[in-house]
Amino acid sequence: MRPGDRAIERKEFDVAVPKRKMSRANTRARRSQWKATAPTLVKTIENGQVVYSLPHQAKVVRDSAGTALFLEYKGRKVADV
């Protein structure tokens, strides 16, 4: 190379390459394991209304106007909103 030439350095990496083509059936069988699961919800009754919430997560306590007041977990105030 001459001093005036711009050289682009290329780094070579060893990449894993499959030896054989994976069949459609095997590809789809593998992908079928990646399913979204519905979250488990806990049904509680608050102020006469049925409320569904995620277990082990703080709930937002609201006043009658619907304004968020604070976060509650297991009946205790844990944080302000």
Side-chain angles (χ1 to χ4, degrees), residues 56-59 72-78:
H56 304 293
Q57 229 177 25
K59 292 183 285 188
E72 177 184 70
Y73 184 72
K74 290 187 178 178
R76 295 188 308 257
K77 178 179 173 182
V78 291

Side-chain angles (χ1 to χ4, degrees), residues 54-66:
L54 294 171
H56 304 293
Q57 229 177 25
K59 292 183 285 188
V60 178
V61 176
R62 301 179 184 275
D63 61 0
S64 59

Side-chain angles (χ1 to χ4, degrees), residues 8 10-12 14 17 27 29 33-34 37 41 45 48-49 59-61 63 65 71 73:
I8 299 174
R10 293 187 179 185
K11 296 181 181 179
E12 295 183 23
D14 291 332
V17 178
T27 301
Q33 302 304 316
W34 291 88
T37 57
L41 298 176
I45 297 173
Q49 294 181 344
K59 292 183 285 188
V60 178
V61 176
D63 61 0
L71 292 173
Y73 184 72

Side-chain angles (χ1 to χ4, degrees), residues 20-71:
R20 297 205 192 315
K21 180 178 178 179
M22 184 178 259
S23 70
R24 266 191 211 147
N26 284 342
T27 301
R28 290 174 180 165
R30 185 188 71 245
R31 286 183 185 155
S32 70
Q33 302 304 316
W34 291 88
K35 292 179 236 166
T37 57
T40 55
L41 298 176
V42 176
K43 179 180 173 182
T44 56
I45 297 173
E46 295 178 7
N47 300 330
Q49 294 181 344
V50 177
V51 178
Y52 293 95
S53 62
L54 294 171
H56 304 293
Q57 229 177 25
K59 292 183 285 188
V60 178
V61 176
R62 301 179 184 275
D63 61 0
S64 59
T67 308
L69 299 174
F70 56 89
L71 292 173

